[in-house]
Amino acid sequence: MWQIVKDIFSPTQYMPHGHCYLWQTPLVWLHVTGDFLIAIAYYSIPAMLIYFIFKRRDVPFLGIFGLFGAFIILCGTGHLLEIWTLWHSAYWLSGIEKGITALVSCYTAGSMVTLLPQFLALKTPQELEEINLKLQREIAVREDAELALRCAYEDLEIKVQERTAQLTETNSCLEKEARDRQQAELKLRSVTERLQYLLATTPAVIFSCKLGGNYDVTFVSENIVSLIGYEAREFVDGSLDWHSLVHPEDREIIDTAFAQILQKELISYEYRELHKDGSYRWIHDEVKLVKNAAGIPVECVGYAVDITARKQAEAALVQQLKRERLVNSIQERIRSSLNLEEVMTVAVEEVRQFLSTDRAVIYRFNRDWSGFIAVESVAAGVMPIKGTDINDPCFRDSYISVYQQGRVRAMDDIYTADISECHINLLAQFEIKANLVVPILQGKVLWGLLIAHHCRSQKHWNSSEIESLKQISVQLAIAIQQCTLFEQAKTEIADRKLAEAALQKAVRVADAANVAKSEFLSSMSHELRTPLNAILGFSQVIVRDSSLNNEHQQHLGIINRAGEHLLSLINDILEMSKIEAGRIQLNESSFNLIRLLENLEEMFRLKAKSKRLQLKFEVAQSVPHFVNGDEGKLRQILINLVGNAIKFTETGSVTLRLKNKVEENLAAENAELKSTQTKTADRGSENSAPANFDCADSNSIRPVSLRLQFEIQDTGPGIATEEMNKLFKPFEQTKSGYKSEQGTGLGLPISRKFVQMMGGDIVVSSIPDLGSTFSFDIQLGLAAPTEIEMLKPHKKVIGLAPDQPEYRILVVDDRADNCLVIDRLLSPLGFLVREAKNGQEAINVWEDWQPHLIWMDMQMPVMNGYEATRQIKSHPLGKQTVIVALTASAFEEERKTILAAGCDDFMRKPFEAKTLFAIIEKYVGVKYIYEEPVFDLENGNEISGIASNESVGLQLAKMPSEWLDNIYTAAHECYDDKIIRLIEEMPVEFTESAKCLNDLARNFLFDDIIELANSAIKACEC
């Protein structure tokens, strides 16, 4: 394609035109300049023509202007091609352009020839001037005429306005009259239509009649046809006498009413009137006397309403009332008497009177379906048949199966009914002409029949009578059942009394055993935990001595671990005893679930590492941080299950999974779990990264309560099928448990009971040699972050802060070693400590010394802690003294009893020193001096907390001010995720400070972060 274009515009087979000029520059440029200027002139002329055509479309011969423009453009294009051919031999293109120019010019010339006569016919300027003068004269004449016409028009307009005003006034009056008349007609039409509609649609028939005589009808509304089937005209023209349609028994009622109309002027009556279809309808009439202006009666007007439905309803209601009285009477008899024969006798008597029949009987079946008349009620002159045995094969073979199905048989006439001849003969023996039979069923067993006989004539049994007998048969079945049960009950009462006496004796024995067991548990708790308090307490006192060498520190660690292990065994035994005694209960509070899991992961990390096991904690994104439940029992459950998994697993991994079961069901079964970082506890790893518990915060959780599912999976030896039933039995262990020579067999039974108390159960699945999975789900509530008490990092207390008063502490315990433990912990710090051996001595010391806080043992001789607390708190000054209970009881439920006695708080023996210090700080307001060791990442040494904080502050001061403002704001908002994202922006050389801030954020110590950020901002400003 490009070659074709090139051949047209720049062919090579011809010599360019410039060779003709011998390429003399002046000559070439002379031709170029001339052709170019001519082309510009040629292009400007058609441009002006086009502009003229665009502006003066009213000018004739626009086409010829267009042709001239095209001709001139082509001429200009020819000159441009002359310039082009100087260097390019495009002679064909130049020739084609000249040919087109020739055609356009010839066509233009031809058009000029055809248009020439029109050009010549155009007016000359002189002719146009004459025409213009003539038009001006005509315009002047027209303007004079228009002026005269305008004057005449203005006069006419004035007259028209005057006339219009008159006509408008007249028209307004006429329109007002027309509107008034139209409104009156509309009202009249509306009233007429409404009256016609009411007459046609109302259920009442409007009529008028003459006064006196036969009270002939003078008017009746058309809707009478819907009342009695006759047309209104039949009554008005006299072809039908309305008196003839009245029921003969009711004519006297109407005559009596009309006889009183002159005195009462308003009468009403009810009567039956014959319908055109032959049936009678009940009608209610209300008639009023009409008088003229002189007060003389002239006619009667009234309305008639069909009340047939009401009359039928009243009759049905009367029948229903009779039936209800009958049923209620029988029910009252059943309630008031358990004598079956008396109840049945009353029933048949009531039935006979209700049905107005000759005989009513109850027929009772024997086991061989023979039977006898148990009771009857007969009218005078009717043959009695009570006690008659009936063993008729015709009756037994044909009707027993019918009555077993609960079907009722009603025969108005036995001779016309569809029954067998043998049955007719049987009924005829008892003079029966009509009968009604209703079965009496006890469940699905046919007990007997309730029968009504009419002996004097045939009788029609209507549906209400049949329904009444069915209800009575039900009540009789209930009475029969009650009487039967009463007879059985009389024989059982004596046996039950003997059994109740034995049961009460057993209950008394069991109560005494429970009381003894509870007392034993309380005593065992005190006796076992009290010496442990001295062992663990003094070990904590000795640990605080910094002069001990490493060997002694190791020995103390062994003592502590052994004591804590012994304490856990004692707690398990006491917990199992509490469960069996029914004294266990949930102690719910708000807690941080994720922090609980982090602590458990930290607790088991070293143990898993020592066995080269992978420890995985996987938590779903939908699990909230903050929940409400029994944190202690949940921790014990997870410690038992995870501890067992690690104990019995030699290779592989132990995995704890947690997900929101409700969210999983609502969202999808394959909801993604956000897995925590895997902790590989192998020999070569020195440090294990903490698990990433980045879960949904409380703001993203919508339901008020949730159901969490825990799953602990291991790759241990598994559990054999035959050993599954031993798992949850106290003191029972599997083969793996016996091989380990550890544990008491109480962990799983206690855990299962705790899970059941939380609304779930533990499910176990295991494959031998592959591993086991323990799973359970529990119900927990949601909690707000503000409800959670933030844990402070444990710091060793080394003294009391200066500028504080001397704090007086009284320790009350009958065992000197317990008092000595607290004294050795508090006295070196600067507290003033005194001791008392019983409650009475404590009261005496309190009166003389007025201590700030009292540690009160609850079980002591002479006077126990409960009574001493009550006496101190009853004194006005005693209300300001803080009393904290010391008890060796393992029962959390005793906290309520202790607090009710007046104690401010509760601490269980054996206790930890940090708990002791924390309670004193909480209630007395004491300020401590702490030893704050911080680990140096580079040197592996410990440096003081003050130096660490200073180094962190110095490094933070080098961060941008915007970054400092952001982390300060995030700490104020308690937004830990945002703080961690900001920490990730810190330079690599600030790794130590980043780790410190990260630990503070994960422990929710936002106040420390605020203090560091604030000091850094002030340093930047200086």
Side-chain angles (χ1 to χ4, degrees):
M1 184 66 184
W2 170 249
Q3 186 62 36
I4 294 173
V5 174
K6 186 176 180 182
D7 290 342
I8 293 174
F9 285 92
S10 183
T12 58
Q13 64 267 37
Y14 301 111
M15 181 178 65
H17 192 58
H19 290 285
C20 296
Y21 303 123
L22 300 179
W23 294 110
Q24 295 181 5
T25 302
L27 182 59
V28 170
W29 279 106
L30 177 63
H31 281 275
V32 170
T33 304
D35 286 331
F36 184 72
L37 293 175
I38 292 170
I40 291 174
Y42 277 153
Y43 281 130
S44 62
I45 293 171
M48 288 184 286
L49 286 174
I50 292 171
Y51 178 75
F52 175 75
I53 293 171
F54 180 75
K55 290 293 185 180
R56 292 298 304 274
R57 294 183 181 275
D58 57 331
V59 177
F61 313 116
L62 293 178
I64 197 65
F65 286 109
L67 289 174
F68 270 115
F71 169 69
I72 296 171
I73 289 172
L74 289 171
C75 290
T77 305
H79 283 282
L80 291 177
L81 287 175
E82 287 294 331
I83 297 172
W84 179 260
T85 56
L86 288 175
W87 288 275
H88 303 280
S89 56
Y91 299 129
W92 276 104
L93 180 61
S94 177
I96 292 170
E97 190 275 335
K98 289 179 180 179
I100 294 172
T101 305
L103 290 174
V104 173
S105 60
C106 291
Y107 183 76
T108 303
S111 299
M112 287 288 292
V113 171
T114 58
L115 294 174
L116 186 58
Q118 298 180 28
F119 291 156
L120 295 175
L122 295 173
K123 299 291 184 180
T124 63
Q126 293 80 8
E127 292 175 341
L128 290 174
E129 186 176 356
E130 290 178 359
I131 292 172
N132 191 26
L133 291 173
K134 185 177 180 181
L135 287 174
Q136 289 178 355
R137 286 194 295 271
E138 291 178 356
I139 288 171
V141 173
R142 181 171 294 177
E143 287 178 351
D144 293 339
E146 287 179 354
L147 180 59
L149 183 60
R150 189 179 298 111
C151 293
Y153 178 77
E154 290 176 354
D155 295 339
L156 181 61
E157 183 69 22
I158 293 171
K159 294 180 180 180
V160 168
Q161 290 178 355
E162 293 175 354
R163 184 59 178 166
T164 301
Q166 296 175 357
L167 292 175
T168 301
E169 185 178 357
T170 304
N171 190 36
S172 298
C173 296
L174 292 176
E175 287 179 352
K176 184 176 183 303
E177 292 178 1
R179 283 196 300 270
D180 294 342
R181 181 174 296 177
Q182 187 177 9
Q183 290 177 358
E185 290 176 353
L186 289 174
K187 289 181 180 179
L188 181 60
R189 186 181 301 112
S190 175
V191 171
T192 303
E193 291 176 353
R194 188 179 306 157
L195 180 59
Q196 291 176 351
Y197 175 77
L198 291 174
L199 290 176
T201 59
T202 184
V205 175
I206 308 300
F207 64 88
S208 64
C209 60
K210 296 179 181 179
L211 186 60
N214 291 327
Y215 298 95
D216 296 329
V217 175
T218 58
F219 169 79
V220 64
S221 57
E222 296 294 335
N223 59 343
I224 193 172
V225 68
S226 62
L227 187 67
I228 56 176
Y230 294 100
E231 298 290 341
R233 57 179 178 79
E234 297 182 61
F235 293 95
V236 176
D237 61 14
S239 59
L240 184 62
D241 183 11
W242 66 275
H243 296 87
S244 62
L245 302 178
V246 177
H247 193 282
E249 296 178 359
D250 300 332
R251 290 174 184 172
E252 184 178 354
I253 297 173
I254 297 175
D255 294 340
T256 303
F258 270 100
Q260 300 174 354
I261 193 169
L262 292 175
Q263 290 80 21
K264 294 185 176 181
E265 297 187 358
L266 180 65
I267 59 173
S268 61
Y269 47 88
E270 295 176 356
Y271 62 99
R272 287 164 288 178
E273 192 165 16
L274 184 64
H275 194 276
K276 194 172 184 178
D277 61 6
S279 63
Y280 277 98
R281 302 292 177 88
W282 276 97
I283 308 296
H284 171 80
D285 282 0
E286 188 163 320
V287 184
K288 181 177 178 59
L289 183 65
V290 179
K291 299 179 181 180
N292 59 16
I296 300 174
V298 292
E299 65 176 344
C300 299
V301 296
Y303 68 89
V305 181
D306 188 348
I307 58 171
T308 304
R310 192 192 79 190
K311 286 291 186 179
Q312 292 175 348
E314 289 176 354
L317 182 60
V318 171
Q319 188 69 14
Q320 183 180 357
L321 290 174
K322 290 182 179 179
R323 182 168 66 248
E324 289 177 355
R325 286 196 204 99
L326 174 63
V327 174
N328 291 337
S329 175
I330 295 174
Q331 286 179 342
E332 288 296 329
R333 179 62 67 178
I334 292 172
R335 294 191 188 100
S336 61
S337 175
L338 291 174
N339 188 321
L340 181 59
E341 184 174 0
E342 180 183 351
V343 171
M344 293 191 298
T345 301
V346 172
V348 293
E349 181 64 27
E350 296 285 351
V351 167
R352 188 181 66 81
Q353 293 181 7
F354 171 70
L355 298 179
S356 300
T357 188
D358 296 328
R359 182 191 298 125
V361 303
I362 292 179
Y363 177 81
R364 182 172 182 178
F365 286 104
N366 298 318
R367 291 187 177 182
D368 59 354
W369 296 115
S370 62
F372 61 95
I373 304 298
V375 292
E376 73 170 350
S377 173
V378 295
V382 178
M383 178 181 67
I385 59 174
K386 180 180 178 181
T388 304
D389 292 325
I390 300 175
N391 188 11
D392 186 76
C394 176
F395 172 75
R396 182 173 61 249
D397 298 340
S398 302
Y399 300 104
I400 295 297
S401 60
V402 175
Y403 296 134
Q404 284 178 328
Q405 299 174 10
R407 294 170 60 182
V408 177
R409 288 187 62 85
M411 291 181 285
D412 297 347
D413 187 349
I414 63 173
Y415 298 104
T416 59
D418 185 17
I419 58 177
S420 61
E421 185 68 26
C422 62
H423 192 195
I424 293 175
N425 295 333
L426 175 63
L427 296 176
Q429 293 177 13
F430 305 110
E431 301 178 351
I432 300 171
K433 291 184 173 58
N435 77 331
L436 173 61
V437 183
V438 178
I440 301 174
L441 297 172
Q442 282 191 303
K444 295 183 179 181
V445 178
L446 180 61
W447 183 88
L449 303 173
L450 175 60
I451 308 173
H453 293 156
H454 205 65
C455 303
R456 295 185 177 89
S457 62
Q458 297 80 18
K459 180 176 176 60
H460 172 68
W461 312 100
N462 57 47
S463 59
S464 63
E465 294 173 338
I466 297 173
E467 187 64 29
S468 299
L469 251 66
K470 288 171 66 177
Q471 292 183 14
I472 294 171
S473 71
V474 172
Q475 296 300 324
L476 286 173
I478 295 172
I480 294 167
Q481 183 69 23
Q482 287 180 348
C483 294
T484 303
L485 293 175
F486 177 69
E487 294 297 328
Q488 294 175 357
K490 286 194 297 185
T491 59
E492 293 176 359
I493 286 175
D495 297 337
R496 182 175 296 179
K497 287 182 178 180
L498 294 175
E500 286 178 354
L503 180 61
Q504 289 176 359
K505 183 178 180 181
V507 168
R508 287 193 295 271
V509 173
D511 289 341
N514 282 335
V515 171
K517 189 171 187 179
S518 298
E519 292 175 353
F520 170 76
L521 289 176
S522 179
S523 176
M524 282 293 295
S525 174
H526 187 272
E527 294 301 324
L528 292 173
R529 296 170 72 91
T530 297
L532 274 177
N533 182 57
I535 295 171
L536 296 177
F538 279 109
S539 68
Q540 294 180 77
V541 172
I542 300 173
V543 164
R544 297 177 62 81
D545 187 356
S546 58
S547 63
L548 290 177
N549 57 35
N550 291 335
E551 183 179 0
H552 289 165
Q553 293 283 357
Q554 291 176 359
H555 293 167
L556 285 173
I558 293 172
I559 294 173
N560 267 323
R561 286 193 295 274
E564 290 174 356
H565 180 66
L566 179 59
L567 180 62
S568 66
L569 293 177
I570 293 171
N571 287 339
D572 283 347
I573 295 172
L574 293 175
E575 203 73 57
M576 198 67 216
S577 300
K578 285 195 294 181
I579 291 173
E580 292 176 351
R583 293 188 58 184
I584 197 73
Q585 65 183 22
L586 294 178
N587 298 289
E588 297 183 344
S589 62
S590 298
F591 64 95
N592 189 330
L593 177 61
I594 304 305
R595 187 172 65 197
L596 170 62
L597 297 178
E598 289 174 343
N599 293 338
L600 291 177
E601 188 273 338
E602 187 70 25
M603 178 189 303
F604 290 110
R605 183 192 301 167
L606 292 178
K607 189 173 183 180
K609 176 181 175 181
S610 66
K611 299 185 72 173
R612 300 180 183 179
L613 299 176
Q614 286 185 332
L615 181 62
K616 307 175 187 177
F617 277 53
E618 299 176 356
V619 184
Q621 294 180 351
S622 58
V623 175
H625 278 76
F626 309 108
V627 296
N628 184 276
D630 194 324
E631 181 183 11
K633 290 183 175 56
L634 178 59
R635 180 188 289 107
Q636 187 171 347
I637 293 167
L638 295 177
I639 288 175
N640 285 335
L641 295 180
V642 177
N644 285 346
I646 294 176
K647 179 170 66 176
F648 297 120
T649 302
E650 299 300 329
T651 60
S653 63
V654 174
T655 304
L656 185 148
R657 299 185 182 91
L658 174 58
K659 61 184 177 180
N660 188 338
K661 191 172 183 181
V662 175
E663 290 285 341
E664 291 289 326
N665 293 338
L666 292 178
E669 293 181 357
N670 60 347
E672 294 183 0
L673 293 177
K674 187 173 183 180
S675 178
T676 61
Q677 183 178 354
T678 303
K679 278 67 66 179
T680 305
D682 53 11
R683 182 178 297 174
S685 62
E686 294 297 329
N687 296 303
S688 296
N692 180 17
F693 296 96
D694 185 13
C695 306
D697 58 17
S698 62
N699 294 329
S700 64
I701 304 299
R702 292 171 295 278
V704 176
S705 62
L706 65 156
R707 197 163 191 87
L708 297 182
Q709 183 173 9
F710 294 81
E711 184 178 285
I712 296 88
Q713 183 178 14
D714 63 59
T715 57
I719 304 169
T721 305
E722 59 272 12
E723 292 185 319
M724 284 289 187
N725 57 352
K726 296 182 179 180
L727 286 178
F728 301 106
K729 292 182 178 180
F731 304 105
E732 291 279 353
Q733 289 185 314
T734 62
K735 291 181 180 178
S736 300
Y738 287 123
K739 289 180 182 179
S740 69
E741 297 182 354
Q742 299 179 37
T744 59
L746 294 176
L748 284 178
I750 293 173
S751 299
R752 187 178 197 181
K753 181 61 179 178
F754 287 170
V755 171
Q756 290 173 346
M757 292 176 66
M758 297 181 186
D761 201 358
I762 298 180
V763 179
V764 185
S765 60
S766 181
I767 301 176
D769 300 327
L770 293 180
S772 304
T773 301
F774 286 75
S775 60
F776 64 91
D777 56 90
I778 57 175
Q779 187 80 25
L780 294 176
L782 284 178
T786 54
E787 301 175 10
I788 310 301
E789 181 179 355
M790 296 299 178
L791 291 182
K792 295 183 179 180
H794 175 59
K795 301 177 184 179
K796 183 178 179 182
V797 176
I798 59 176
L800 298 181
D803 301 327
Q804 294 188 91
E806 288 185 337
Y807 292 105
R808 298 179 297 278
I809 307 296
L810 174 61
V811 183
V812 185
D813 201 314
D814 59 325
R815 295 181 66 93
D817 49 0
N818 289 337
C819 295
L820 189 60
V821 168
I822 298 178
D823 180 63
R824 290 293 185 267
L825 288 171
L826 298 182
S827 294
L829 300 180
F831 289 101
L832 299 179
V833 181
R834 285 192 182 182
E835 301 175 6
K837 296 180 180 180
N838 55 63
Q840 184 60 54
E841 188 176 338
I843 294 173
N844 297 334
V845 175
W846 171 79
E847 291 176 347
D848 296 336
W849 197 47
Q850 292 295 312
H852 294 88
L853 184 143
I854 300 176
W855 294 102
M856 181 75 72
D857 185 29
M858 304 312 289
Q859 294 184 9
M860 296 179 293
V862 182
M863 181 185 291
N864 60 31
Y866 295 99
E867 182 61 28
T869 300
R870 278 192 285 268
Q871 290 192 23
I872 292 173
K873 286 293 184 179
S874 64
H875 195 279
L877 295 177
K879 295 180 180 178
Q880 300 177 0
T881 304
V882 179
I883 301 178
V884 180
L886 277 174
T887 176
S889 172
F891 300 131
E892 182 68 23
E893 296 77 11
E894 290 190 8
R895 175 189 292 268
K896 296 179 180 178
T897 305
I898 291 172
L899 296 180
C903 293
D904 296 281
D905 209 336
F906 172 98
M907 188 170 72
R908 186 182 292 111
K909 304 175 192 176
F911 55 84
E912 294 185 9
K914 61 181 180 181
T915 305
L916 183 79
F917 297 143
I919 291 177
I920 296 176
E921 180 184 17
K922 176 180 178 182
Y923 290 101
V924 179
V926 64
K927 296 181 180 178
Y928 299 115
I929 299 174
Y930 297 98
E931 181 183 30
E932 302 184 11
V934 177
F935 192 74
D936 189 339
L937 293 176
E938 295 180 359
N939 303 322
N941 300 324
E942 290 184 355
I943 59 176
S944 66
I946 298 174
S948 176
N949 288 344
E950 289 179 354
S951 63
V952 172
L954 291 174
Q955 289 185 345
L956 290 183
K958 299 177 183 179
M959 294 296 294
S961 58
E962 183 180 356
W963 185 90
L964 291 172
D965 292 337
N966 290 339
I967 199 168
Y968 182 86
T969 304
H972 262 293
E973 296 173 350
C974 300
Y975 195 173
D976 53 339
D977 292 337
K978 185 176 180 181
I979 294 173
I980 293 173
R981 288 198 297 270
L982 290 169
I983 293 171
E984 293 172 355
E985 299 175 5
M986 297 179 69
V988 179
E989 56 268 29
F990 292 173
T991 303
E992 181 179 349
S993 299
K995 183 179 182 302
C996 180
L997 289 175
N998 191 66
D999 291 339
L1000 293 174
R1002 292 196 178 278
N1003 288 310
F1004 305 102
L1005 298 176
F1006 301 114
D1007 291 336
D1008 294 347
I1009 298 176
I1010 292 172
E1011 184 178 350
L1012 289 172
N1014 195 22
S1015 62
I1017 293 172
K1018 290 180 179 178
C1020 292
E1021 292 174 353
C1022 296

